Amino acid sequence: MGPFRVVRPADMLVADIGLVNLRSDGSRLVRREPAAPTLILVGLPPQHILEEVVPQQVDGTTVPLATVRAFTSGATQLVFSVPPEVDSLELSLESLLDWERLVPMTVPVVRPGTTPAELLGSVIEFPTRLLLTYDEPVNWACPPEPRSADGRTGVWHALLSGERGGDALLRALARADDRPSVPARFPLTTENLADLVTLTSRTELIDAAGAPIPLPSAPLRAEQFIATPLGASAHLHGAWEDMSPGAVAQLESIDTTWHDLAAYDHITGLGRDQFVRVVTRGFLSTGHPALLVSEVKRLFVAHKDEGIVAHLRREDRIVLREPEVRYGENTGFAHQGREMPFTELRVTDRVTPLLRTVWPRNAKKQPEPRQAFWIELQDGVHDHQFTVLATDREGRKVSFTMPLVFVPASRAGNWEELRDRYSQSETGVRDRVERSLGGQVMAMAQPPADAPGSTSHAVGRLKFEMTRKTAGGEHPLAGTLVVSGADVRVPALEPFAPKAGDVPVTFNHRYRDHGMAAHPARAYLDLVDAIGLEFASESVGGLARPDAGVKVITSQAGVVPDVFGNDPTAEIRNALGAAKLLGFIDLGALLGPIAAPDLDRLKQLGDREIQALLDDAGGTIPAPVLRVRDLADGAGKELRYVWKTRLEPPRTPPGAEPFPLDVNGAVLTLDARTVVSKDAGNKTSVEGRLRDIALQIAGVVRVEIADLRFRSVPGSKPDVSASGLEMRFLGDLRFIDTLRSALPADAFGSGAFVDVQPWGIRTGYALALPAIGVGVFSLANVCLKTELIIPFDADKVISFRFSVSERQRPFNVTVSLFGGGGYFSMLVDAEKGIREAEGAIEFGGAAALNLGVASGGVTVMAGVRFELRDGNVTVGGYLRCSGFLTVLGIVTVSVEFYLELTYEKNGSESVVRGRGTLTVSVTIAFFSKSVSLSLERSFSGAPGDPTFVDCFDRETHWEDYCLGFDGEP
């Protein structure tokens, strides 16, 4: 018989009934063909209403809506088979509704892609767009007649139960894709429906190789399902295990994603949703397995103008499945985990507060597949800060908070999406990846077995980034969180860079790529910006200012310059920057070559090894080492800066000035120790030594020093000593060496003076010779003095001064009636050569004659003086002759002649001046007359003389001048 509709207003029953292989004989329904299947088809109204979820405001309150969109499901079709033992049915509605004696028919497992029209069996559309059928035999029970009580009639309903009266098991056949898809802001997404089909339909999936894919299939359990004309009152529940790694790989082979759905609960009343829970399987960006629990609840909210309104509201939370994640070489790190200083991360949050619901931007369109998202609180402004307890590579625990990303399981293999979430272009990512540790101590790398604690630092901040997982890694995501940088305290730097504080560091590239053992000095961190060590000049005695820029942090050598590239010598020269030796010589230019085997010494550089290298005449420490160690009994820390290196003279280009320092075989040693303690503060002691050097200044003097030592200890004046010092004059001043016979063999031995001041070292020797008189010869006021000044100020240079007497106290020489005197002094430095030189010598004679009648005398004096000061030259000489004659005391005649000649040069201008004076005086008795004649001339030298161009006007006379030569060959 064809389908017919039954409407019973008393209990609101509406049903479309169809009969297969049944016919009416007037009073009963009998089979048409006894052997053919006999079926009763019952069509019921839609059993579910899909209602829009009302979004929330920033403060968590519900946004009131004037209208709420809703969609109804399609009709439900129940198919019953008439058992063979039933020959006929009574031709009545009550008989057709007596389903307990009928057999409910399910839809057999079908191939993927089968349309609902092809399905033969009971199909229930619940929820909207999802088609269900029975997974096991079930029973339906419904009242055949309306039931009334107290003047009220109950709504017709049919109760579904298991065959033994328990829960009914259901499976999803397919989605109803023949209708428009459901837009966003609804409890279930199309992905959720697709997962329900895959996980409950028992349909077998085949991978690319033709092998079946073992899926965690399990039916939905209907704890209650009551069909009514107004919709179903139902409670469905489903839960599924994780997919095995093999099944995941098989799904990827057919370009199918994981299935996120972990659990599903659905409660409705008369077709309207009361509670929907969707649990999505996923991971935190740290790799922790987690669940996104989305719950949709119907809430009765009182609005001012709308009264009591029953809205659907959604609440999202993250539930942690496993609190601990371990990291190792097989995690999938590109560098075997060296970029992650933690071996374990424990998240203490088991459940987050309510989170911001992530809706698609256009709620009217079908939502896109759920993507990875930052876990934000419900206010939409702040991230949820997960509390993380991390274990470093020495088993030390540190804690910090950090926001994380939730990645649905189906998106776990999408590297581009994960990378985009951590991209610096995304708003607020910097604040999300840089996390404060507040000075907690942790190991930034696995320390060597013989140096526990050597890689630990007080960390102010860690910076994380997301890197792509390598092939074969066990980490569940396509990317792994690593530490890309940090701000750490480096105690060894603090005495030299007091403002350094927490310095930014990154992992050393060689350590990261190949491990600590592959690095010549067991380095593990690099300073982002090299820090220059600014030593106080008075602390290092002026021997050297090794203000090196240190950058590499090692496990045992401490902090050293970055000298581990292809050319260590050039790199350490760059690291030293403007470091000076003896205040004026570029230290980097004097460094000898450094080979790779030399750098290997830095791997094992404890106190014993350092002392052995300092005691060994041939031992060197190839790079400045800055290290820190704990003192015994916890009394404090000792910071040590030590360096021992050979020096070599640089190559001097042909024609250039010779290098002022001879360092062939010279060795420079610096050893500075700073003891830091709470009671005594900071105390620094410095020892320096420079052996076998010779200083040659301006080609006029050479000072050879066998051993120059400096020692500074707290509470004492710096101690400077020099041994094996010898001074020799060179060039045109070699003749002064003849005076060295008056000096002791060791000028800086007993009797020498060494004066250490805050501005530098002044050392030398002064010798005053006693007056010598032999017959008519007399020599007096001779003083020989040498002085070497080593300044501490980097802007000043070493200077040397030698003098024979001084201008204020010249020496005197007398031989019979002839006498004279003079002085000489010279000041040279290593930068400008001769800076000052001056000298003068005067000589003359005197004679007297007395014949009784006449008497007289004559004197002649001459002198030469020169002065060179800062490039300005003055040379002068004079001659003075005078005589007198007296006759009988009546007549006196005197004559005086004076001649002076001076040459002066100031910069590029020079001038010669000459002056002469002749004075004649005559005295007769009481009459006296004096006549003087004077003459003075000056001549300017280049560029004071006029040039050729200055002799005529170029604009008016140049052409005439050229025509004057016209016709000449």
Side-chain angles (χ1 to χ4, degrees):
M1 297 178 61
F4 55 91
R5 171 162 293 187
V6 176
V7 178
R8 191 165 62 188
D11 56 3
M12 302 180 66
L13 170 63
V14 176
D16 294 327
I17 299 178
L19 304 176
V20 177
N21 198 32
L22 287 173
R23 61 180 179 84
S24 174
D25 62 358
S27 61
R28 301 186 66 82
L29 295 173
V30 297
R31 300 176 187 268
R32 292 180 182 273
E33 297 180 12
T38 303
L39 305 176
I40 298 177
L41 284 67
V42 180
L44 298 178
Q47 296 297 304
H48 183 249
I49 300 172
L50 187 62
E51 188 175 325
E52 184 179 18
V53 177
V54 177
Q56 298 176 11
Q57 300 185 103
V58 173
D59 60 359
T61 60
T62 304
V63 177
L65 294 180
T67 59
V68 174
R69 289 177 296 175
F71 297 82
T72 61
S73 65
T76 289
Q77 173 184 283
L78 302 181
V79 179
F80 297 93
S81 174
V82 179
E85 62 271 15
V86 178
D87 295 332
S88 63
L89 297 173
E90 183 180 349
L91 184 59
S92 66
L93 179 59
E94 290 75 8
S95 175
L96 294 176
L97 294 178
D98 186 9
W99 295 345
E100 293 186 21
R101 62 175 178 167
L102 303 178
V103 178
M105 293 189 63
T106 186
V107 177
V109 176
V110 296
R111 300 185 308 276
T114 302
T115 62
E118 301 173 3
L119 303 179
L120 181 60
S122 299
V123 177
I124 305 171
E125 185 172 337
F126 184 93
T128 303
R129 303 296 196 270
L130 184 67
L131 306 180
L132 302 179
T133 191
Y134 321 128
D135 190 61
E136 291 183 355
V138 298
N139 292 320
W140 282 98
C142 62
E145 297 179 355
R147 294 184 178 181
S148 300
D150 298 331
R152 297 181 180 181
T153 303
V155 176
W156 177 89
H157 60 276
L159 175 64
L160 176 67
S161 62
E163 189 177 28
R164 298 179 181 179
D167 297 342
L169 301 183
L170 305 174
R171 56 187 173 88
L173 298 172
R175 293 182 303 177
D177 293 333
D178 55 339
R179 283 168 275 168
S181 58
V182 177
R185 292 184 184 166
F186 286 88
L188 294 175
T189 67
T190 55
E191 286 71 30
N192 298 149
L193 299 179
D195 286 351
L196 286 171
V197 172
T198 302
L199 295 172
T200 66
S201 66
R202 300 188 183 277
T203 301
E204 186 178 70
L205 295 181
I206 305 300
D207 66 9
I213 301 176
L215 295 176
S217 179
L220 287 173
R221 186 176 297 275
E223 299 178 7
Q224 173 183 293
F225 195 95
I226 302 175
T228 75
L230 301 177
S233 294
H235 183 182
L236 302 185
H237 170 71
W240 298 272
E241 299 293 334
D242 292 348
M243 283 191 296
S244 66
V248 173
Q250 287 178 289
L251 285 175
E252 292 176 349
S253 71
I254 58 175
D255 199 23
T256 301
T257 60
W258 298 18
H259 299 285
D260 297 339
L261 196 60
Y264 166 62
D265 283 277
H266 204 149
I267 299 176
T268 61
L270 297 178
R272 297 190 68 186
D273 291 330
Q274 305 300 316
F275 178 83
V276 180
R277 178 192 289 124
V278 176
V279 181
T280 302
R281 189 179 292 108
F283 303 91
L284 301 182
S285 48
T286 51
H288 290 79
L291 299 173
L292 171 60
V293 180
S294 299
E295 294 181 347
V296 176
K297 302 176 181 179
R298 185 171 296 279
L299 300 179
F300 291 84
V301 180
H303 288 283
K304 179 179 179 181
D305 300 324
E306 301 175 8
I308 304 298
V309 180
H311 287 308
L312 288 181
R313 190 171 73 182
R314 174 172 157 180
E315 297 176 348
D316 288 352
R317 293 179 178 86
I318 298 292
V319 178
L320 204 66
R321 299 179 64 191
E322 296 180 16
E324 296 179 358
V325 167
R326 295 182 178 273
Y327 299 110
E329 294 183 359
N330 297 328
T331 301
F333 294 116
H335 306 288
Q336 298 182 335
R338 288 182 289 272
E339 62 270 63
M340 170 56 86
F342 301 120
T343 60
E344 179 183 292
L345 290 183
R346 179 182 181 87
V347 176
T348 61
D349 306 67
R350 300 308 299 269
V351 180
T352 68
L354 290 179
L355 305 178
R356 181 176 75 91
T357 300
V358 181
W359 299 106
R361 293 182 179 179
N362 190 340
K364 296 182 178 180
K365 294 184 178 180
Q366 172 65 19
E368 298 177 356
R370 179 181 291 277
Q371 298 180 344
F373 60 91
W374 285 99
I375 301 172
E376 298 178 86
L377 295 176
Q378 196 175 41
D379 60 10
V381 177
H382 301 93
D383 295 316
H384 173 64
Q385 303 292 329
F386 287 87
T387 300
V388 180
L389 187 64
T391 304
D392 70 7
R393 294 185 177 273
E394 287 191 300
R396 191 183 292 106
K397 304 289 186 181
V398 297
S399 63
F400 52 93
T401 62
M402 66 185 305
L404 296 173
V405 170
F406 179 80
V407 184
S410 61
R411 317 292 292 184
N414 192 322
W415 159 243
E416 289 75 13
E417 184 176 304
L418 193 57
R419 177 197 60 198
D420 293 343
R421 293 293 82 80
Y422 276 87
S423 172
Q424 291 296 328
S425 61
E426 185 162 319
T427 304
V429 166
R430 179 175 179 179
D431 295 334
R432 286 165 164 166
V433 299
E434 295 185 4
R435 309 312 302 161
S436 173
L437 263 69
Q440 297 178 81
V441 177
M442 59 169 285
M444 293 297 294
Q446 179 68 48
D450 55 349
S454 60
T455 61
S456 297
H457 295 268
V459 179
R461 183 175 293 270
L462 284 179
K463 181 179 180 181
F464 293 88
E465 72 175 7
M466 184 65 65
T467 62
R468 190 165 193 169
K469 183 185 72 174
T470 58
E474 298 176 355
H475 195 277
L477 300 178
T480 57
L481 268 185
V482 300
V483 173
S484 61
D487 293 345
V488 304
R489 284 189 59 194
V490 185
L493 292 176
E494 293 177 358
F496 306 100
K499 298 181 180 180
D502 290 340
V503 294
V505 297
T506 59
F507 286 109
N508 178 270
H509 68 91
R510 189 174 298 187
Y511 158 76
R512 184 192 59 201
D513 295 342
H514 305 290
M516 192 178 296
H519 195 279
R522 289 185 175 178
Y524 59 98
L525 291 178
D526 286 346
L527 301 175
V528 173
D529 299 310
I531 294 181
L533 305 181
E534 299 179 359
F535 286 85
S537 301
E538 59 272 19
S539 298
V540 292
L543 298 184
R545 290 289 302 277
D547 299 343
V550 292
K551 188 171 184 179
V552 179
I553 302 177
T554 68
S555 60
Q556 287 179 274
V559 190
V560 298
D562 188 6
V563 295
F564 305 101
N566 297 326
D567 190 350
T569 305
E571 289 167 351
I572 196 171
R573 286 174 180 169
N574 293 333
L576 290 175
K580 300 295 181 182
L581 180 69
L582 299 177
F584 75 102
I585 296 177
D586 184 4
L587 181 59
L590 301 179
L591 295 181
I594 301 174
D598 297 329
L599 298 175
D600 289 337
R601 298 193 188 101
L602 300 176
K603 281 187 177 180
Q604 301 289 342
L605 206 59
D607 291 339
R608 184 177 302 176
E609 290 79 11
I610 289 177
Q611 193 59 47
L613 292 172
L614 294 178
D615 296 338
D616 183 5
T620 61
I621 301 175
V625 171
L626 188 64
R627 60 197 305 273
V628 59
R629 69 178 181 91
D630 294 323
L631 298 178
D633 302 327
K637 294 182 179 294
E638 180 190 71
L639 309 172
R640 189 175 188 184
Y641 178 94
V642 61
W643 188 27
K644 183 180 181 184
T645 184
R646 295 187 186 91
L647 304 181
E648 289 188 1
R651 294 181 180 180
T652 303
E657 292 291 332
F659 194 71
L661 194 65
D662 185 359
V663 292
N664 280 311
V667 177
L668 172 65
T669 303
L670 289 174
D671 189 0
R673 300 170 186 256
T674 300
V675 175
V676 181
S677 62
K678 295 181 179 179
D679 299 332
N682 297 356
K683 293 184 177 180
T684 301
S685 61
V686 179
E687 293 185 11
R689 187 177 185 185
L690 188 58
R691 294 184 301 163
D692 300 326
I693 65 166
L695 184 64
Q696 185 168 311
I697 304 176
V700 296
V701 65
R702 178 182 174 90
V703 181
E704 297 178 353
I705 306 174
D707 196 354
L708 181 60
R709 293 175 180 262
F710 174 86
R711 179 177 175 82
S712 172
V713 296
S716 301
K717 188 177 181 179
D719 179 22
V720 178
S721 63
S723 61
L725 188 143
E726 184 178 358
M727 180 173 56
R728 293 187 292 113
F729 288 92
L730 308 174
D732 295 338
L733 297 181
R734 193 183 299 273
F735 72 92
I736 302 178
D737 277 339
T738 58
L739 299 175
R740 294 182 62 220
S741 59
L743 294 175
D746 190 348
F748 283 74
S750 177
F753 65 87
V754 177
D755 183 21
V756 179
Q757 299 291 340
W759 51 265
I761 299 175
R762 176 176 169 267
T763 181
Y765 188 85
L767 175 64
L769 299 181
I772 301 174
V774 180
V776 296
F777 174 80
S778 174
L779 177 63
N781 295 334
V782 176
C783 179
L784 303 178
K785 186 177 181 180
T786 60
E787 184 179 70
L788 180 65
I789 296 178
I790 303 176
F792 295 151
D793 192 341
D795 297 333
K796 298 180 180 180
V797 297
I798 287 181
S799 62
F800 175 78
R801 190 174 190 274
F802 174 81
S803 66
V804 180
S805 297
E806 298 287 348
R807 181 195 305 176
Q808 298 83 356
R809 299 185 61 189
F811 63 84
N812 297 322
V813 180
T814 303
V815 181
S816 184
L817 55 81
F818 299 100
Y823 64 90
F824 171 79
S825 68
M826 178 179 63
L827 174 65
V828 296
D829 65 29
E831 181 179 5
K832 297 182 179 180
I834 300 177
R835 293 188 57 183
E836 297 179 9
E838 64 176 350
I841 187 168
E842 292 183 313
F843 57 91
L849 178 66
N850 191 344
L851 299 177
V853 177
S855 64
V858 63
T859 61
V860 178
M861 291 294 294
V864 177
R865 178 181 179 274
F866 67 90
E867 179 180 350
L868 170 63
R869 191 179 303 275
D870 294 329
N872 299 326
V873 180
T874 301
V875 180
Y878 73 92
L879 175 63
R880 174 178 292 170
C881 300
S882 62
F884 70 95
L885 177 63
T886 301
V887 179
L888 297 176
I890 299 173
V891 178
T892 300
V893 178
S894 63
V895 178
E896 181 179 352
F897 173 75
Y898 179 79
L899 179 64
E900 178 185 344
L901 184 65
T902 303
Y903 170 78
E904 295 179 0
K905 182 178 181 182
N906 296 314
S908 60
E909 297 182 356
S910 60
V911 62
V912 178
R913 293 187 178 90
R915 184 178 67 176
T917 303
L918 176 63
T919 303
V920 178
S921 298
V922 177
T923 303
I924 302 175
F926 300 103
F927 174 78
S928 176
K929 183 66 175 179
S930 177
V931 178
S932 296
L933 298 176
S934 298
L935 179 65
E936 183 175 346
R937 292 288 187 270
S938 64
F939 305 93
S940 297
D945 295 334
T947 64
F948 174 77
V949 177
D950 295 332
C951 296
F952 61 91
D953 187 341
R954 295 171 57 185
E955 295 183 1
T956 58
H957 299 157
W958 174 252
E959 185 176 352
D960 295 339
Y961 174 79
C962 294
L963 292 176
F965 296 93
D966 188 22
E968 294 189 4

